[in-house]
Amino acid sequence: FYGAPIRVNRPHDYVPPTEGNVMAPGGSLPGAPGLVPGMPNMNNVNNMGTLMQLTKKCRRVHVGNLPVNAGLTPATLKTFINQLMTQLALTVKPGDPVIDSFLSQDGKFGFVEMRTIAEANNALAMSGIEYFGRNIRVGRPADYAPATEELIKQCEGTGLLGFAGDAGVSAGVFGGAAASGPDLSKATCVVAIRQMMSPA
Protein backbone atom coordinates (compact mmCIF):
# COMPACT_ATOMS: atom_id res chain seq x y z
CA PHE A 1 0.00 0.00 0.00
CA TYR A 2 1.73 3.20 -1.25
CA GLY A 3 4.94 1.20 -1.63
CA ALA A 4 4.84 -0.56 1.75
CA PRO A 5 3.46 -4.05 2.47
CA ILE A 6 0.56 -4.22 4.92
CA ARG A 7 -0.17 -7.01 7.40
CA VAL A 8 -3.69 -8.32 7.93
CA ASN A 9 -4.19 -10.59 10.96
CA ARG A 10 -6.87 -11.65 13.40
CA PRO A 11 -7.14 -9.40 16.49
CA HIS A 12 -5.93 -10.85 19.79
CA ASP A 13 -9.51 -11.15 21.08
CA TYR A 14 -10.86 -12.83 17.91
CA VAL A 15 -13.66 -15.32 18.51
CA PRO A 16 -14.75 -17.54 15.59
CA PRO A 17 -18.43 -17.13 14.61
CA THR A 18 -21.00 -19.67 15.61
CA GLU A 19 -22.55 -21.81 12.93
CA GLY A 20 -25.72 -19.73 12.80
CA ASN A 21 -23.87 -16.44 12.28
CA VAL A 22 -21.54 -17.42 9.45
CA MET A 23 -21.80 -15.03 6.52
CA ALA A 24 -23.06 -16.36 3.26
CA PRO A 25 -20.92 -15.96 0.10
CA GLY A 26 -21.00 -12.37 -1.13
CA GLY A 27 -20.89 -10.82 2.35
CA SER A 28 -24.54 -11.17 3.38
CA LEU A 29 -26.08 -12.66 6.47
CA PRO A 30 -28.06 -15.91 6.18
CA GLY A 31 -31.43 -15.18 4.65
CA ALA A 32 -30.41 -11.64 3.65
CA PRO A 33 -29.87 -11.14 -0.10
CA GLY A 34 -28.05 -7.81 0.18
CA LEU A 35 -25.09 -6.39 2.04
CA VAL A 36 -24.44 -6.33 5.75
CA PRO A 37 -26.32 -3.26 7.03
CA GLY A 38 -24.03 -0.22 7.16
CA MET A 39 -21.18 -1.96 5.35
CA PRO A 40 -19.95 -0.98 1.84
CA ASN A 41 -19.99 -3.39 -1.07
CA MET A 42 -16.46 -4.76 -0.81
CA ASN A 43 -16.51 -5.94 -4.41
CA ASN A 44 -16.95 -2.32 -5.53
CA VAL A 45 -14.33 -1.08 -3.05
CA ASN A 46 -11.77 -3.64 -4.19
CA ASN A 47 -12.53 -2.94 -7.86
CA MET A 48 -12.09 0.82 -7.35
CA GLY A 49 -8.77 0.25 -5.62
CA THR A 50 -7.60 -1.91 -8.51
CA LEU A 51 -8.65 0.69 -11.10
CA MET A 52 -6.90 3.46 -9.18
CA GLN A 53 -3.70 1.42 -9.22
CA LEU A 54 -4.06 0.61 -12.94
CA THR A 55 -4.64 4.27 -13.86
CA LYS A 56 -2.02 5.75 -11.52
CA LYS A 57 0.66 6.10 -14.21
CA CYS A 58 -1.66 8.15 -16.40
CA ARG A 59 -2.96 10.26 -13.50
CA ARG A 60 0.48 11.41 -12.27
CA VAL A 61 2.48 14.38 -13.48
CA HIS A 62 6.09 15.41 -12.89
CA VAL A 63 6.69 18.92 -11.55
CA GLY A 64 10.26 20.15 -12.02
CA ASN A 65 12.42 23.25 -11.58
CA LEU A 66 10.95 23.85 -8.12
CA PRO A 67 12.44 26.53 -5.84
CA VAL A 68 14.76 24.82 -3.36
CA ASN A 69 14.90 27.60 -0.75
CA ALA A 70 11.17 28.19 -0.37
CA GLY A 71 10.56 25.62 2.38
CA LEU A 72 8.53 23.47 0.03
CA THR A 73 6.97 20.27 1.41
CA PRO A 74 4.74 17.62 -0.20
CA ALA A 75 1.76 19.28 1.52
CA THR A 76 2.57 22.79 0.25
CA LEU A 77 3.22 21.43 -3.25
CA LYS A 78 -0.19 19.75 -3.17
CA THR A 79 -1.86 22.96 -1.96
CA PHE A 80 -0.10 25.06 -4.61
CA ILE A 81 -1.13 22.76 -7.48
CA ASN A 82 -4.71 22.53 -6.18
CA GLN A 83 -5.03 26.32 -5.97
CA LEU A 84 -3.36 26.90 -9.33
CA MET A 85 -5.53 24.39 -11.18
CA THR A 86 -8.66 25.92 -9.64
CA GLN A 87 -7.60 29.46 -10.58
CA LEU A 88 -6.80 28.42 -14.15
CA ALA A 89 -10.09 26.48 -14.49
CA LEU A 90 -8.23 23.23 -15.14
CA THR A 91 -10.40 21.15 -12.82
CA VAL A 92 -13.33 19.11 -14.11
CA LYS A 93 -15.48 18.94 -10.98
CA PRO A 94 -15.70 20.55 -7.53
CA GLY A 95 -13.03 19.79 -4.97
CA ASP A 96 -9.26 19.45 -5.00
CA PRO A 97 -7.83 17.65 -8.06
CA VAL A 98 -4.62 16.44 -6.33
CA ILE A 99 -4.99 13.37 -4.12
CA ASP A 100 -1.32 12.69 -3.39
CA SER A 101 2.07 14.36 -3.77
CA PHE A 102 5.75 13.49 -3.49
CA LEU A 103 8.77 15.77 -3.21
CA SER A 104 12.35 14.72 -3.93
CA GLN A 105 14.87 14.87 -1.10
CA ASP A 106 16.64 17.88 -2.61
CA GLY A 107 13.31 19.60 -3.28
CA LYS A 108 14.06 20.21 -6.96
CA PHE A 109 11.19 18.14 -8.35
CA GLY A 110 8.10 16.27 -7.30
CA PHE A 111 5.16 14.21 -8.49
CA VAL A 112 1.47 14.86 -7.98
CA GLU A 113 -1.27 12.31 -8.46
CA MET A 114 -4.55 13.65 -9.81
CA ARG A 115 -7.95 12.20 -9.08
CA THR A 116 -8.78 11.99 -12.80
CA ILE A 117 -6.98 11.32 -16.07
CA ALA A 118 -8.48 14.48 -17.59
CA GLU A 119 -7.05 16.67 -14.83
CA ALA A 120 -3.64 15.08 -15.27
CA ASN A 121 -3.86 16.05 -18.94
CA ASN A 122 -4.97 19.57 -18.04
CA ALA A 123 -2.14 19.97 -15.53
CA LEU A 124 0.38 20.06 -18.39
CA ALA A 125 -0.91 23.58 -19.17
CA MET A 126 0.69 24.81 -15.92
CA SER A 127 4.21 24.39 -17.30
CA GLY A 128 6.00 27.74 -17.31
CA ILE A 129 4.04 29.22 -14.40
CA GLU A 130 6.28 31.21 -12.04
CA TYR A 131 6.60 29.91 -8.49
CA PHE A 132 8.89 31.74 -6.06
CA GLY A 133 10.83 33.23 -8.95
CA ARG A 134 11.20 30.00 -10.94
CA ASN A 135 9.24 28.78 -13.94
CA ILE A 136 8.04 25.30 -13.06
CA ARG A 137 8.06 22.50 -15.62
CA VAL A 138 5.08 20.15 -15.67
CA GLY A 139 5.27 17.03 -17.80
CA ARG A 140 4.71 13.31 -18.01
CA PRO A 141 6.76 11.07 -15.70
CA ALA A 142 9.24 8.66 -17.25
CA ASP A 143 6.93 5.74 -16.43
CA TYR A 144 3.86 7.37 -18.00
CA ALA A 145 1.52 4.89 -19.63
CA PRO A 146 -1.60 6.12 -21.46
CA ALA A 147 -4.84 4.37 -20.63
CA THR A 148 -5.79 1.63 -23.06
CA GLU A 149 -9.27 1.46 -24.59
CA GLU A 150 -10.03 -1.54 -22.41
CA LEU A 151 -8.99 0.30 -19.24
CA ILE A 152 -11.04 3.35 -20.22
CA LYS A 153 -14.11 1.13 -20.62
CA GLN A 154 -13.51 -0.40 -17.19
CA CYS A 155 -13.26 3.09 -15.65
CA GLU A 156 -16.44 4.48 -17.19
CA GLY A 157 -18.72 5.88 -14.51
CA THR A 158 -16.12 5.60 -11.73
CA GLY A 159 -15.03 9.25 -11.78
CA LEU A 160 -11.43 8.35 -12.61
CA LEU A 161 -11.64 9.48 -16.23
CA GLY A 162 -12.91 13.01 -15.68
CA PHE A 163 -14.38 13.25 -19.17
CA ALA A 164 -17.85 14.59 -19.97
CA GLY A 165 -20.51 12.28 -18.59
CA ASP A 166 -18.20 10.65 -16.03
CA ALA A 167 -19.26 10.58 -12.39
CA GLY A 168 -19.35 14.12 -10.99
CA VAL A 169 -18.40 15.76 -14.31
CA SER A 170 -20.90 18.09 -15.95
CA ALA A 171 -21.89 17.65 -19.58
CA GLY A 172 -20.39 21.07 -20.38
CA VAL A 173 -16.87 19.76 -19.93
CA PHE A 174 -14.97 18.73 -23.04
CA GLY A 175 -11.55 17.12 -22.87
CA GLY A 176 -11.36 17.98 -19.17
CA ALA A 177 -11.45 21.76 -19.62
CA ALA A 178 -14.54 23.89 -19.42
CA ALA A 179 -16.07 24.42 -22.85
CA SER A 180 -16.46 28.13 -22.15
CA GLY A 181 -12.78 28.55 -21.35
CA PRO A 182 -11.15 29.90 -18.18
CA ASP A 183 -13.18 31.70 -15.55
CA LEU A 184 -12.48 35.34 -16.45
CA SER A 185 -13.93 36.55 -13.15
CA LYS A 186 -10.74 35.28 -11.50
CA ALA A 187 -8.38 36.86 -14.01
CA THR A 188 -5.86 39.43 -12.86
CA CYS A 189 -5.22 42.76 -14.58
CA VAL A 190 -2.63 42.80 -17.36
CA VAL A 191 -0.67 45.93 -18.24
CA ALA A 192 0.36 46.27 -21.89
CA ILE A 193 3.70 48.03 -22.42
CA ARG A 194 4.13 49.08 -26.02
CA GLN A 195 7.11 50.27 -28.10
CA MET A 196 9.72 48.84 -25.77
CA MET A 197 12.24 48.40 -28.59
CA SER A 198 13.91 51.38 -30.19
CA PRO A 199 14.59 51.34 -33.94
CA ALA A 200 18.05 50.08 -34.95
Side-chain angles (χ1 to χ4, degrees), residues 63-188:
V63 184
N65 200 37
L66 294 171
V68 294
N69 298 320
L72 200 61
T73 66
T76 54
L77 175 63
K78 180 179 179 180
T79 300
F80 167 66
I81 298 298
N82 278 330
Q83 292 176 346
L84 186 59
M85 290 194 66
T86 301
Q87 291 171 1
L88 297 178
L90 298 176
T91 59
V92 299
K93 52 187 175 182
D96 293 336
V98 180
I99 60 175
D100 196 15
S101 60
F102 166 82
L103 189 66
S104 65
Q105 190 171 6
D106 58 12
K108 293 181 179 179
F109 68 91
F111 297 92
V112 290
E113 180 183 348
M114 302 293 174
R115 60 186 171 181
T116 68
I117 294 175
E119 285 166 323
N121 295 339
N122 293 348
L124 302 179
M126 296 187 297
S127 197
I129 296 291
E130 185 177 323
Y131 186 49
F132 281 97
R134 307 194 69 166
N135 297 106
I136 63 172
R137 292 192 296 267
V138 183
R140 304 288 192 188
D143 63 349
Y144 168 72
T148 62
E149 290 186 14
E150 180 181 354
L151 181 56
I152 290 175
K153 288 181 180 179
Q154 292 176 348
C155 292
E156 287 178 352
T158 63
L160 290 173
L161 297 176
F163 304 137
D166 199 13
V169 182
S170 65
V173 173
F174 176 75
S180 59
D183 184 358
L184 298 181
S185 67
K186 299 177 182 178
T188 56

